[in-house]
mmCIF file of all heavy atoms in Angstrom:
data_model
loop_
_atom_site.group_PDB
_atom_site.id
_atom_site.type_symbol
_atom_site.label_atom_id
_atom_site.label_comp_id
_atom_site.label_asym_id
_atom_site.label_seq_id
_atom_site.Cartn_x
_atom_site.Cartn_y
_atom_site.Cartn_z
ATOM 1 N N ALA A 71 0.144 -17.381 14.637
ATOM 2 C CA ALA A 71 -0.371 -16.132 15.210
ATOM 3 C C ALA A 71 -0.693 -15.186 14.060
ATOM 4 O O ALA A 71 0.153 -14.904 13.210
ATOM 5 C CB ALA A 71 0.662 -15.494 16.134
ATOM 6 N N ASN A 72 -1.923 -14.730 14.031
ATOM 7 C CA ASN A 72 -2.350 -13.773 13.012
ATOM 8 C C ASN A 72 -3.398 -12.850 13.649
ATOM 9 O O ASN A 72 -3.742 -12.978 14.818
ATOM 10 C CB ASN A 72 -2.919 -14.502 11.791
ATOM 11 C CG ASN A 72 -3.067 -13.587 10.593
ATOM 12 O OD1 ASN A 72 -2.140 -12.862 10.226
ATOM 13 N ND2 ASN A 72 -4.231 -13.578 9.967
ATOM 14 N N LYS A 73 -3.884 -11.907 12.878
ATOM 15 C CA LYS A 73 -4.825 -10.903 13.374
ATOM 16 C C LYS A 73 -5.985 -11.556 14.122
ATOM 17 O O LYS A 73 -6.501 -12.596 13.713
ATOM 18 C CB LYS A 73 -5.342 -10.060 12.206
ATOM 19 C CG LYS A 73 -6.296 -8.948 12.585
ATOM 20 C CD LYS A 73 -5.696 -8.004 13.634
ATOM 21 C CE LYS A 73 -4.400 -7.376 13.175
ATOM 22 N NZ LYS A 73 -3.815 -6.498 14.227
ATOM 23 N N ILE A 74 -6.379 -10.919 15.215
ATOM 24 C CA ILE A 74 -7.461 -11.443 16.037
ATOM 25 C C ILE A 74 -8.687 -11.747 15.162
ATOM 26 O O ILE A 74 -9.067 -10.953 14.302
ATOM 27 C CB ILE A 74 -7.821 -10.433 17.166
ATOM 28 C CG1 ILE A 74 -8.777 -11.055 18.163
ATOM 29 C CG2 ILE A 74 -8.351 -9.133 16.596
ATOM 30 C CD1 ILE A 74 -8.148 -12.074 19.054
ATOM 31 N N GLY A 75 -9.273 -12.907 15.375
ATOM 32 C CA GLY A 75 -10.393 -13.358 14.557
ATOM 33 C C GLY A 75 -10.020 -14.484 13.613
ATOM 34 O O GLY A 75 -10.891 -15.217 13.138
ATOM 35 N N THR A 76 -8.718 -14.651 13.368
ATOM 36 C CA THR A 76 -8.277 -15.716 12.461
ATOM 37 C C THR A 76 -8.609 -17.093 13.023
ATOM 38 O O THR A 76 -9.029 -17.997 12.290
ATOM 39 C CB THR A 76 -6.768 -15.603 12.195
ATOM 40 O OG1 THR A 76 -6.465 -14.316 11.663
ATOM 41 C CG2 THR A 76 -6.303 -16.667 11.218
ATOM 42 N N TYR A 77 -8.417 -17.261 14.319
ATOM 43 C CA TYR A 77 -8.711 -18.549 14.964
ATOM 44 C C TYR A 77 -10.174 -18.932 14.739
ATOM 45 O O TYR A 77 -10.493 -20.078 14.368
ATOM 46 C CB TYR A 77 -8.378 -18.441 16.455
ATOM 47 C CG TYR A 77 -8.627 -19.671 17.292
ATOM 48 C CD1 TYR A 77 -8.711 -20.949 16.736
ATOM 49 C CD2 TYR A 77 -8.761 -19.563 18.678
ATOM 50 C CE1 TYR A 77 -8.924 -22.064 17.524
ATOM 51 C CE2 TYR A 77 -8.974 -20.676 19.474
ATOM 52 C CZ TYR A 77 -9.059 -21.918 18.900
ATOM 53 O OH TYR A 77 -9.269 -23.021 19.693
ATOM 54 N N GLY A 78 -11.078 -17.975 14.928
ATOM 55 C CA GLY A 78 -12.491 -18.256 14.699
ATOM 56 C C GLY A 78 -12.777 -18.648 13.264
ATOM 57 O O GLY A 78 -13.556 -19.574 12.993
ATOM 58 N N VAL A 79 -12.160 -17.953 12.323
ATOM 59 C CA VAL A 79 -12.329 -18.289 10.908
ATOM 60 C C VAL A 79 -11.825 -19.704 10.643
ATOM 61 O O VAL A 79 -12.436 -20.475 9.888
ATOM 62 C CB VAL A 79 -11.583 -17.267 10.022
ATOM 63 C CG1 VAL A 79 -11.534 -17.740 8.566
ATOM 64 C CG2 VAL A 79 -12.246 -15.902 10.098
ATOM 65 N N ALA A 80 -10.704 -20.076 11.272
ATOM 66 C CA ALA A 80 -10.132 -21.407 11.068
ATOM 67 C C ALA A 80 -11.067 -22.500 11.580
ATOM 68 O O ALA A 80 -11.236 -23.545 10.933
ATOM 69 C CB ALA A 80 -8.774 -21.497 11.764
ATOM 70 N N VAL A 81 -11.673 -22.275 12.728
ATOM 71 C CA VAL A 81 -12.617 -23.250 13.274
ATOM 72 C C VAL A 81 -13.826 -23.394 12.347
ATOM 73 O O VAL A 81 -14.297 -24.509 12.083
ATOM 74 C CB VAL A 81 -13.058 -22.833 14.694
ATOM 75 C CG1 VAL A 81 -14.189 -23.721 15.197
ATOM 76 C CG2 VAL A 81 -11.873 -22.886 15.656
ATOM 77 N N LEU A 82 -14.321 -22.271 11.846
ATOM 78 C CA LEU A 82 -15.451 -22.307 10.915
ATOM 79 C C LEU A 82 -15.084 -23.037 9.619
ATOM 80 O O LEU A 82 -15.881 -23.812 9.081
ATOM 81 C CB LEU A 82 -15.902 -20.883 10.597
ATOM 82 C CG LEU A 82 -16.553 -20.107 11.734
ATOM 83 C CD1 LEU A 82 -16.784 -18.662 11.304
ATOM 84 C CD2 LEU A 82 -17.870 -20.760 12.146
ATOM 85 N N ALA A 83 -13.885 -22.765 9.120
ATOM 86 C CA ALA A 83 -13.448 -23.428 7.889
ATOM 87 C C ALA A 83 -13.379 -24.936 8.088
ATOM 88 O O ALA A 83 -13.806 -25.719 7.224
ATOM 89 C CB ALA A 83 -12.088 -22.873 7.461
ATOM 90 N N ASP A 84 -12.857 -25.354 9.228
ATOM 91 C CA ASP A 84 -12.774 -26.788 9.518
ATOM 92 C C ASP A 84 -14.165 -27.403 9.598
ATOM 93 O O ASP A 84 -14.407 -28.500 9.068
ATOM 94 C CB ASP A 84 -12.029 -26.986 10.845
ATOM 95 C CG ASP A 84 -11.887 -28.439 11.222
ATOM 96 O OD1 ASP A 84 -11.137 -29.163 10.548
ATOM 97 O OD2 ASP A 84 -12.551 -28.865 12.195
ATOM 98 N N ALA A 85 -15.112 -26.690 10.208
ATOM 99 C CA ALA A 85 -16.478 -27.199 10.349
ATOM 100 C C ALA A 85 -17.184 -27.335 9.009
ATOM 101 O O ALA A 85 -18.104 -28.147 8.868
ATOM 102 C CB ALA A 85 -17.278 -26.276 11.275
ATOM 103 N N HIS A 86 -16.767 -26.541 8.030
ATOM 104 C CA HIS A 86 -17.411 -26.560 6.717
ATOM 105 C C HIS A 86 -16.540 -27.215 5.639
ATOM 106 O O HIS A 86 -16.823 -27.088 4.440
ATOM 107 C CB HIS A 86 -17.771 -25.129 6.292
ATOM 108 C CG HIS A 86 -18.846 -24.520 7.137
ATOM 109 N ND1 HIS A 86 -18.594 -23.870 8.312
ATOM 110 C CD2 HIS A 86 -20.208 -24.484 6.975
ATOM 111 C CE1 HIS A 86 -19.728 -23.440 8.839
ATOM 112 N NE2 HIS A 86 -20.715 -23.805 8.055
ATOM 113 N N ASP A 87 -15.487 -27.916 6.061
ATOM 114 C CA ASP A 87 -14.587 -28.623 5.129
ATOM 115 C C ASP A 87 -13.989 -27.680 4.090
ATOM 116 O O ASP A 87 -13.865 -28.021 2.903
ATOM 117 C CB ASP A 87 -15.315 -29.772 4.430
ATOM 118 C CG ASP A 87 -15.711 -30.876 5.402
ATOM 119 O OD1 ASP A 87 -14.897 -31.189 6.297
ATOM 120 O OD2 ASP A 87 -16.828 -31.403 5.288
ATOM 121 N N VAL A 88 -13.637 -26.485 4.522
ATOM 122 C CA VAL A 88 -12.989 -25.496 3.658
ATOM 123 C C VAL A 88 -11.505 -25.435 4.031
ATOM 124 O O VAL A 88 -11.184 -25.194 5.200
ATOM 125 C CB VAL A 88 -13.633 -24.103 3.833
ATOM 126 C CG1 VAL A 88 -12.854 -23.042 3.063
ATOM 127 C CG2 VAL A 88 -15.086 -24.139 3.384
ATOM 128 N N PRO A 89 -10.587 -25.661 3.103
ATOM 129 C CA PRO A 89 -9.167 -25.617 3.451
ATOM 130 C C PRO A 89 -8.720 -24.206 3.822
ATOM 131 O O PRO A 89 -9.197 -23.229 3.244
ATOM 132 C CB PRO A 89 -8.473 -26.094 2.177
ATOM 133 C CG PRO A 89 -9.445 -25.816 1.081
ATOM 134 C CD PRO A 89 -10.808 -25.983 1.682
ATOM 135 N N LEU A 90 -7.843 -24.125 4.808
ATOM 136 C CA LEU A 90 -7.273 -22.849 5.221
ATOM 137 C C LEU A 90 -5.770 -22.871 4.962
ATOM 138 O O LEU A 90 -5.059 -23.746 5.458
ATOM 139 C CB LEU A 90 -7.550 -22.578 6.704
ATOM 140 C CG LEU A 90 -7.009 -21.246 7.239
ATOM 141 C CD1 LEU A 90 -7.988 -20.611 8.223
ATOM 142 C CD2 LEU A 90 -5.644 -21.418 7.920
ATOM 143 N N TYR A 91 -5.324 -21.915 4.154
ATOM 144 C CA TYR A 91 -3.912 -21.788 3.830
ATOM 145 C C TYR A 91 -3.334 -20.543 4.498
ATOM 146 O O TYR A 91 -3.977 -19.486 4.537
ATOM 147 C CB TYR A 91 -3.709 -21.668 2.314
ATOM 148 C CG TYR A 91 -4.305 -22.814 1.529
ATOM 149 C CD1 TYR A 91 -5.233 -22.569 0.500
ATOM 150 C CD2 TYR A 91 -3.961 -24.131 1.790
ATOM 151 C CE1 TYR A 91 -5.785 -23.607 -0.234
ATOM 152 C CE2 TYR A 91 -4.510 -25.177 1.059
ATOM 153 C CZ TYR A 91 -5.418 -24.911 0.049
ATOM 154 O OH TYR A 91 -5.967 -25.946 -0.679
ATOM 155 N N VAL A 92 -2.134 -20.664 4.999
ATOM 156 C CA VAL A 92 -1.406 -19.535 5.574
ATOM 157 C C VAL A 92 -0.266 -19.190 4.631
ATOM 158 O O VAL A 92 0.502 -20.060 4.223
ATOM 159 C CB VAL A 92 -0.848 -19.887 6.966
ATOM 160 C CG1 VAL A 92 0.068 -18.779 7.475
ATOM 161 C CG2 VAL A 92 -1.988 -20.134 7.945
ATOM 162 N N ALA A 93 -0.177 -17.915 4.250
ATOM 163 C CA ALA A 93 0.888 -17.461 3.359
ATOM 164 C C ALA A 93 1.781 -16.494 4.125
ATOM 165 O O ALA A 93 1.299 -15.477 4.635
ATOM 166 C CB ALA A 93 0.303 -16.779 2.113
ATOM 167 N N ALA A 94 3.064 -16.816 4.211
ATOM 168 C CA ALA A 94 3.974 -15.981 4.996
ATOM 169 C C ALA A 94 5.406 -16.207 4.547
ATOM 170 O O ALA A 94 5.760 -17.308 4.101
ATOM 171 C CB ALA A 94 3.851 -16.320 6.480
ATOM 172 N N PRO A 95 6.247 -15.193 4.662
ATOM 173 C CA PRO A 95 7.665 -15.391 4.357
ATOM 174 C C PRO A 95 8.295 -16.329 5.379
ATOM 175 O O PRO A 95 7.825 -16.415 6.525
ATOM 176 C CB PRO A 95 8.256 -13.977 4.467
ATOM 177 C CG PRO A 95 7.337 -13.255 5.386
ATOM 178 C CD PRO A 95 5.964 -13.814 5.111
ATOM 179 N N TYR A 96 9.352 -17.002 4.980
ATOM 180 C CA TYR A 96 10.002 -17.924 5.916
ATOM 181 C C TYR A 96 10.516 -17.186 7.147
ATOM 182 O O TYR A 96 10.639 -17.774 8.220
ATOM 183 C CB TYR A 96 11.136 -18.688 5.238
ATOM 184 C CG TYR A 96 11.613 -19.845 6.077
ATOM 185 C CD1 TYR A 96 10.874 -21.026 6.129
ATOM 186 C CD2 TYR A 96 12.749 -19.741 6.870
ATOM 187 C CE1 TYR A 96 11.266 -22.082 6.935
ATOM 188 C CE2 TYR A 96 13.156 -20.790 7.676
ATOM 189 C CZ TYR A 96 12.411 -21.959 7.711
ATOM 190 O OH TYR A 96 12.795 -22.991 8.530
ATOM 191 N N SER A 97 10.783 -15.905 7.029
ATOM 192 C CA SER A 97 11.242 -15.117 8.171
ATOM 193 C C SER A 97 10.180 -15.002 9.255
ATOM 194 O O SER A 97 10.490 -14.627 10.394
ATOM 195 C CB SER A 97 11.682 -13.723 7.714
ATOM 196 O OG SER A 97 10.637 -13.061 7.033
ATOM 197 N N SER A 98 8.919 -15.324 8.938
ATOM 198 C CA SER A 98 7.850 -15.301 9.940
ATOM 199 C C SER A 98 7.776 -16.600 10.728
ATOM 200 O O SER A 98 7.007 -16.705 11.680
ATOM 201 C CB SER A 98 6.489 -15.044 9.272
ATOM 202 O OG SER A 98 6.422 -13.746 8.741
ATOM 203 N N ILE A 99 8.554 -17.596 10.324
ATOM 204 C CA ILE A 99 8.553 -18.882 11.007
ATOM 205 C C ILE A 99 9.624 -18.860 12.096
ATOM 206 O O ILE A 99 10.793 -18.611 11.826
ATOM 207 C CB ILE A 99 8.794 -20.027 10.008
ATOM 208 C CG1 ILE A 99 7.622 -20.076 9.022
ATOM 209 C CG2 ILE A 99 8.948 -21.352 10.740
ATOM 210 C CD1 ILE A 99 7.854 -20.964 7.835
ATOM 211 N N ASP A 100 9.193 -19.078 13.316
ATOM 212 C CA ASP A 100 10.076 -18.995 14.475
ATOM 213 C C ASP A 100 10.279 -20.388 15.053
ATOM 214 O O ASP A 100 9.512 -20.838 15.903
ATOM 215 C CB ASP A 100 9.460 -18.045 15.518
ATOM 216 C CG ASP A 100 10.412 -17.723 16.651
ATOM 217 O OD1 ASP A 100 11.487 -18.358 16.722
ATOM 218 O OD2 ASP A 100 10.088 -16.839 17.468
ATOM 219 N N LEU A 101 11.320 -21.063 14.586
ATOM 220 C CA LEU A 101 11.577 -22.426 15.034
ATOM 221 C C LEU A 101 12.061 -22.477 16.474
ATOM 222 O O LEU A 101 12.135 -23.557 17.067
ATOM 223 C CB LEU A 101 12.604 -23.094 14.109
ATOM 224 C CG LEU A 101 12.176 -23.281 12.647
ATOM 225 C CD1 LEU A 101 13.289 -23.950 11.839
ATOM 226 C CD2 LEU A 101 10.888 -24.093 12.550
ATOM 227 N N SER A 102 12.382 -21.315 17.049
ATOM 228 C CA SER A 102 12.814 -21.293 18.448
ATOM 229 C C SER A 102 11.638 -21.421 19.405
ATOM 230 O O SER A 102 11.827 -21.660 20.598
ATOM 231 C CB SER A 102 13.576 -19.996 18.745
ATOM 232 O OG SER A 102 12.692 -18.879 18.772
ATOM 233 N N ILE A 103 10.421 -21.250 18.911
ATOM 234 C CA ILE A 103 9.215 -21.382 19.728
ATOM 235 C C ILE A 103 8.525 -22.689 19.374
ATOM 236 O O ILE A 103 8.141 -22.920 18.225
ATOM 237 C CB ILE A 103 8.273 -20.188 19.519
ATOM 238 C CG1 ILE A 103 8.904 -18.920 20.092
ATOM 239 C CG2 ILE A 103 6.921 -20.436 20.171
ATOM 240 C CD1 ILE A 103 8.031 -17.696 20.005
ATOM 241 N N GLU A 104 8.384 -23.552 20.362
ATOM 242 C CA GLU A 104 7.865 -24.895 20.117
ATOM 243 C C GLU A 104 6.421 -24.884 19.651
ATOM 244 O O GLU A 104 6.033 -25.636 18.749
ATOM 245 C CB GLU A 104 8.005 -25.731 21.391
ATOM 246 C CG GLU A 104 7.551 -27.170 21.233
ATOM 247 C CD GLU A 104 7.747 -27.986 22.497
ATOM 248 O OE1 GLU A 104 8.501 -27.538 23.390
ATOM 249 O OE2 GLU A 104 7.140 -29.070 22.606
ATOM 250 N N SER A 105 5.589 -24.049 20.286
ATOM 251 C CA SER A 105 4.171 -24.018 19.940
ATOM 252 C C SER A 105 3.641 -22.603 20.092
ATOM 253 O O SER A 105 4.325 -21.708 20.603
ATOM 254 C CB SER A 105 3.377 -24.971 20.843
ATOM 255 O OG SER A 105 3.261 -24.426 22.150
ATOM 256 N N GLY A 106 2.396 -22.419 19.712
ATOM 257 C CA GLY A 106 1.784 -21.100 19.797
ATOM 258 C C GLY A 106 1.670 -20.574 21.211
ATOM 259 O O GLY A 106 1.534 -19.361 21.416
ATOM 260 N N ALA A 107 1.730 -21.453 22.195
ATOM 261 C CA ALA A 107 1.649 -21.019 23.589
ATOM 262 C C ALA A 107 2.806 -20.092 23.954
ATOM 263 O O ALA A 107 2.700 -19.299 24.897
ATOM 264 C CB ALA A 107 1.631 -22.228 24.520
ATOM 265 N N GLY A 108 3.897 -20.163 23.208
ATOM 266 C CA GLY A 108 5.066 -19.338 23.502
ATOM 267 C C GLY A 108 5.112 -18.036 22.725
ATOM 268 O O GLY A 108 6.069 -17.265 22.862
ATOM 269 N N ILE A 109 4.102 -17.769 21.904
ATOM 270 C CA ILE A 109 4.090 -16.538 21.102
ATOM 271 C C ILE A 109 3.508 -15.393 21.930
ATOM 272 O O ILE A 109 2.375 -15.505 22.416
ATOM 273 C CB ILE A 109 3.270 -16.735 19.812
ATOM 274 C CG1 ILE A 109 3.890 -17.834 18.940
ATOM 275 C CG2 ILE A 109 3.182 -15.419 19.031
ATOM 276 C CD1 ILE A 109 3.093 -18.151 17.682
ATOM 277 N N PRO A 110 4.243 -14.297 22.090
ATOM 278 C CA PRO A 110 3.683 -13.162 22.841
ATOM 279 C C PRO A 110 2.564 -12.501 22.044
ATOM 280 O O PRO A 110 2.680 -12.297 20.837
ATOM 281 C CB PRO A 110 4.889 -12.218 23.009
ATOM 282 C CG PRO A 110 5.788 -12.559 21.863
ATOM 283 C CD PRO A 110 5.618 -14.026 21.612
ATOM 284 N N ILE A 111 1.482 -12.163 22.721
ATOM 285 C CA ILE A 111 0.321 -11.556 22.067
ATOM 286 C C ILE A 111 0.199 -10.102 22.511
ATOM 287 O O ILE A 111 0.060 -9.818 23.703
ATOM 288 C CB ILE A 111 -0.979 -12.319 22.389
ATOM 289 C CG1 ILE A 111 -0.878 -13.779 21.912
ATOM 290 C CG2 ILE A 111 -2.178 -11.627 21.761
ATOM 291 C CD1 ILE A 111 -0.687 -13.934 20.405
ATOM 292 N N GLU A 112 0.243 -9.205 21.558
ATOM 293 C CA GLU A 112 0.122 -7.782 21.828
ATOM 294 C C GLU A 112 -1.305 -7.439 22.242
ATOM 295 O O GLU A 112 -2.265 -7.887 21.617
ATOM 296 C CB GLU A 112 0.499 -7.003 20.565
ATOM 297 C CG GLU A 112 0.287 -5.504 20.647
ATOM 298 C CD GLU A 112 0.528 -4.821 19.309
ATOM 299 O OE1 GLU A 112 0.783 -5.522 18.301
ATOM 300 O OE2 GLU A 112 0.467 -3.577 19.274
ATOM 301 N N GLU A 113 -1.430 -6.640 23.290
ATOM 302 C CA GLU A 113 -2.727 -6.100 23.666
ATOM 303 C C GLU A 113 -2.702 -4.597 23.426
ATOM 304 O O GLU A 113 -1.796 -3.908 23.876
ATOM 305 C CB GLU A 113 -3.058 -6.388 25.131
ATOM 306 C CG GLU A 113 -4.467 -5.949 25.501
ATOM 307 C CD GLU A 113 -4.893 -6.373 26.898
ATOM 308 O OE1 GLU A 113 -4.173 -7.187 27.511
ATOM 309 O OE2 GLU A 113 -5.932 -5.878 27.361
ATOM 310 N N ARG A 114 -3.689 -4.092 22.709
ATOM 311 C CA ARG A 114 -3.709 -2.702 22.305
ATOM 312 C C ARG A 114 -4.728 -1.901 23.115
ATOM 313 O O ARG A 114 -5.480 -2.448 23.910
ATOM 314 C CB ARG A 114 -3.981 -2.592 20.806
ATOM 315 C CG ARG A 114 -2.850 -3.218 19.964
ATOM 316 C CD ARG A 114 -3.073 -3.056 18.480
ATOM 317 N NE ARG A 114 -3.125 -1.653 18.080
ATOM 318 C CZ ARG A 114 -2.049 -0.896 17.884
ATOM 319 N NH1 ARG A 114 -0.839 -1.391 18.058
ATOM 320 N NH2 ARG A 114 -2.178 0.362 17.499
#
């Protein structure tokens, strides 16, 4: 889960064979959530 628009960038990177790296502290990794479907998404 990252700022809105990241998913689109990732799809574009995959289509153009550009590697996408995610940089985050280990505290951002939530092993209690199996997949992204369980991540709450803020609506502003």
Side-chain angles (χ1 to χ4, degrees):
N72 194 49
K73 182 55 58 182
I74 189 73
T76 303
Y77 180 21
V79 170
V81 172
L82 291 173
D84 180 69
H86 292 86
D87 294 320
V88 173
L90 181 141
Y91 304 124
V92 172
Y96 193 77
S97 57
S98 293
I99 296 169
D100 189 351
L101 296 180
S102 72
I103 292 183
E104 183 178 344
S105 73
I109 299 177
I111 300 298
E112 174 187 4
E113 186 173 349
R114 296 183 61 81

